Every structure is written in structure tokens, then in C-alpha cells.
Amino acid sequence: MWEIGLILAATLASQPQAATLEGCEFVDQRWICRYRLPDVQLLTSPPTAPETVATAPASTIPLSPVTTTAVVSADPGVLSEREVALVARCADSTWIALCLPSQRVEARRLRDQAQAYEAARLQVGALLSENECDAARVHALSGGYLGLAREVQALCVESAAPSTTSAATDTTDEDGEATSTGTHPAEAADAGD
């Protein structure tokens, strides 16, 4: 028992001074305790600053201009890692899970947004597979998915570029005259009409 008292006294001595309990008494249906506060020294003037050592002026390093890229806002439904973790932990959790009610509501909202985004991506993919670029872009924009609409536009421009080139190849025969194999797009359009 004596060792425990010494250990407590040693730990209290190593800690900063705090108020000490002098005694408690029961007065008028309540306890009243008296504490003794440690001695406090009040300063009437600010403390003196320590002497500063003169140092050589710092050399400046020329900085190159920093180029920043514009941050493209993510489409609603594209979740960050933190949001994915919140959805996994709280969207379909039971009452025993460590989620606040506000976290559950937020997780369900994020889950619904992610599901709507995936459904829009599937529809846009189906429209692109049918070569309906304009309809795919309109569908992405109608959902408010600007990033998806940019992707559709870039994909449509890439796929449209090779189709506008001539399918004909010009070759020269043995006499040096130019011959054409295949049809030019204008001739194919006239032949189809």
C-alpha cells in the first residue's frame, strides 16, 4: 500500500501544479468542496525578449512560374475514396453499425447518385454502340454529367475522323497513268441514291 502512495506522489510531482482539494462538507443538502490553487505570478509588463543573434540575409532563389491545370469538377455520382468507404460502411448498415443517422442518410444519397450515374453510363454506351453520338451526348447532358458528355464528344470526334477519309487508293499502272481502286465518298453517296 505504501508503494502505491509513493508512486502516486511521484506522478503528481511530475505533473504541472493543479488545484488541490482541501476538504468537502455537506451543507444545505449539497456538497461544498474547497480547493487550494497553486501560486500564480502575475506579470505587470511583458516579459523581455531574448537577445536575437544577427544572421546573414537569406539568399533568394528565383522561382519558376507554376502552371496549374484547371480542376474539372467530377460528375455527380463519381465518388471519391472517402465517399466509397462511407457508402460501403453506412448505406445498407444495420442498427449495430458505427454510423450516425446523418452518415446513413448521406451514404444512401451517394449510393443513389452512383447508381444513377452507372445507369446513364450504360445507356450512353448502348447509344454509342449503335453509332448514335448525338443521342448519347444529349443523354449524358440531360443527367447533368458534363464529364461524361465530354468523353462522348471526344470519342465521337475520334471515330468520325477516319470515316471522312477517302476509301479509294490511287495507284499507277505500268504505263504511268493513275488508276483508282475503290470508290470516293462522293461517288458512293451518288451510287447509294
Side-chain angles (χ1 to χ4, degrees):
M1 186 67 152
W2 178 251
E3 292 88 22
I4 294 173
L6 287 175
I7 293 171
L8 286 174
T11 57
L12 289 176
S14 65
Q15 294 180 353
Q17 284 288 345
T20 56
L21 179 65
E22 287 187 343
C24 292
E25 60 183 298
F26 194 72
V27 177
D28 295 331
Q29 302 290 325
R30 61 185 179 168
W31 283 97
I32 297 178
C33 295
R34 290 183 174 65
Y35 291 90
R36 179 167 186 244
L37 297 175
D39 295 332
V40 177
Q41 180 183 9
L42 299 176
L43 299 176
T44 57
S45 63
T48 58
E51 293 181 23
T52 58
V53 177
T55 59
S59 60
T60 59
I61 300 172
L63 298 176
S64 62
V66 177
T67 57
T68 59
T69 58
V71 176
V72 178
S73 63
D75 288 338
V78 177
L79 304 179
S80 66
E81 289 180 22
R82 183 194 64 80
E83 292 170 336
V84 168
L86 179 68
V87 168
R89 190 179 74 237
C90 298
D92 295 322
S93 63
T94 61
W95 65 271
I96 201 165
L98 296 175
C99 297
L100 297 172
S102 61
Q103 289 175 327
R104 292 173 199 257
V105 169
E106 179 70 11
R108 290 181 186 128
R109 184 186 66 78
L110 290 171
R111 179 196 58 198
D112 294 343
Q113 276 186 349
Q115 288 173 348
Y117 180 73
E118 286 304 314
R121 278 181 49 121
L122 288 173
Q123 182 64 31
V124 165
L127 290 169
L128 285 174
S129 69
E130 297 169 359
N131 239 359
E132 299 282 337
C133 285
D134 290 334
R137 187 173 47 251
V138 166
H139 185 74
L141 288 173
S142 68
Y145 307 120
L146 299 178
L148 185 59
R150 282 188 203 103
E151 289 177 24
V152 168
Q153 180 67 27
L155 212 91
C156 289
V157 167
E158 282 180 17
S159 65
S163 66
T164 59
T165 60
S166 172
T169 56
D170 292 332
T171 59
T172 57
D173 60 2
E174 296 172 2
D175 298 331
E177 295 179 12
T179 60
S180 177
T181 59
T183 58
H184 289 282
E187 296 171 355
D190 291 338
D193 290 339

